[in-house]
Amino acid sequence: GNSVTQMEGPVTLSEEAFLTINCTYTATGYPSLFWYVQYPGEGLQLLLKATKADDKGSNKGFEATYRKETTSFHLEKGSVQVSDSAVYFCALSLPKAGDMRFGAGTRLTVKP
Amino acid sequence: DSGVTQTPKHLITATGQRVTLRCSPRSGDLSVYWYQQSLDQGLQFLIQYYNGEERAKGNILERFSAQQFPDLHSELNLSSLELGDSALYFCASSVDEGFADTQYFGPGTRLTVL
């Protein structure tokens, strides 16, 4: 079936550290891939997306590249800030299937 | 603020009861999606409506139903509630019907079933 697996948290980093959150997917067909972020007490916000292989999504210093050969969409940021503390969700959608699948979420805490 | 509103913010009810959650999409958005977020199941897609018609169905129980009205607001009806239905229910909206479109999420309704 179609699914997303992302690295388990929680992840705790110091400010200005490098961040990687791994995400791999299983899908029939050609999914679109997303990273969403959920700040405490809020709904999800789209962080970035990529709709085809080799696309790179980027936003607010975060990046992820759609790698078809490794079925991955890892999230990276070169220098995290305290304000990046949140839960990050990797997700895929298959337009023809009309479905959206989320990973379990990774909680990131950035300490000053 | 995403522009998507959900009411109520919190709902506490008893097993066996029925509740209705309401969602108003962003101005101009035609698609509405419903999601359930719980500790054990994570975030799950329930159902999508586009311009009043059901477009896609995910892991929605038969006890749950939804509709989208002519003014594009949507309601999610949950009946014969069980303890396991306690969760955060999110609504999201997008301009078009494709799942690759950017979805804007509301703040959620927290449902507690006692």
Side-chain angles (χ1 to χ4, degrees):
Chain A
N2 304 311
S3 65
V4 173
T5 303
Q6 63 181 103
M7 86 189 238
E8 289 191 24
V11 174
T12 302
L13 294 173
S14 297
E15 211 165 18
E16 298 184 7
F18 184 87
L19 168 71
T20 300
I21 301 178
N22 290 338
C23 170
T24 55
Y25 68 89
T26 303
T28 50
Y30 301 97
S32 294
L33 301 173
F34 308 82
W35 276 101
Y36 279 88
V37 58
Q38 185 177 28
Y39 298 102
E42 296 183 16
L44 278 71
Q45 298 176 29
L46 179 67
L47 184 57
L48 51 86
K49 68 179 182 182
T51 56
K52 60 182 190 299
D54 300 325
D55 269 2
K56 179 190 273 190
S58 60
N59 186 25
K60 298 181 183 178
F62 291 89
E63 291 184 341
T65 301
Y66 188 142
R67 301 274 187 216
K68 190 160 174 275
E69 62 278 7
T70 54
T71 62
S72 65
F73 193 55
H74 304 321
L75 182 69
E76 295 182 338
K77 186 175 186 184
S79 175
V80 293
Q81 306 301 312
V82 172
S83 56
D84 294 327
S85 298
V87 181
Y88 292 81
F89 292 90
C90 186
L92 70 80
S93 76
L94 284 161
K96 286 187 181 175
D99 195 1
M100 189 117 175
R101 301 290 173 101
F102 288 85
T106 301
R107 182 176 298 279
L108 169 68
T109 301
V110 180
K111 298 194 168 175
Chain B
D1 185 352
S2 66
V4 178
T5 59
Q6 289 187 248
T7 56
K9 252 187 134 163
H10 301 276
L11 201 45
I12 301 175
T13 188
T15 53
Q17 294 298 304
R18 173 191 164 94
V19 297
T20 297
L21 313 184
R22 183 187 166 106
C23 168
S24 292
R26 288 187 329 151
S27 177
D29 284 359
L30 297 179
S31 260
V32 169
Y33 310 78
W34 286 97
Y35 295 89
Q36 180 195 59
Q37 186 177 35
S38 62
L39 282 174
D40 53 343
Q41 303 268 11
L43 191 57
Q44 292 197 86
F45 163 67
L46 296 178
I47 196 164
Q48 177 203 9
Y49 276 80
Y50 175 75
N51 206 19
E53 292 190 6
E54 183 184 303
R55 264 297 185 264
K57 229 169 181 174
N59 295 325
I60 188 165
L61 299 172
E62 282 191 17
R63 300 183 285 110
F64 296 0
S65 64
Q67 53 184 327
Q68 186 180 27
F69 295 87
D71 67 352
L72 300 176
H73 90 271
S74 178
E75 292 180 356
L76 179 67
N77 300 296
L78 316 175
S79 61
S80 303
L81 285 167
E82 302 175 359
L83 295 178
D85 298 327
S86 295
L88 202 46
Y89 290 84
F90 288 109
C91 164
S93 72
S94 68
V95 172
D96 211 339
E97 60 180 311
F99 273 73
D101 283 350
T102 298
Q103 295 185 28
Y104 296 87
F105 281 72
T109 293
R110 182 169 293 281
L111 173 66
T112 302
V113 182
L114 300 176

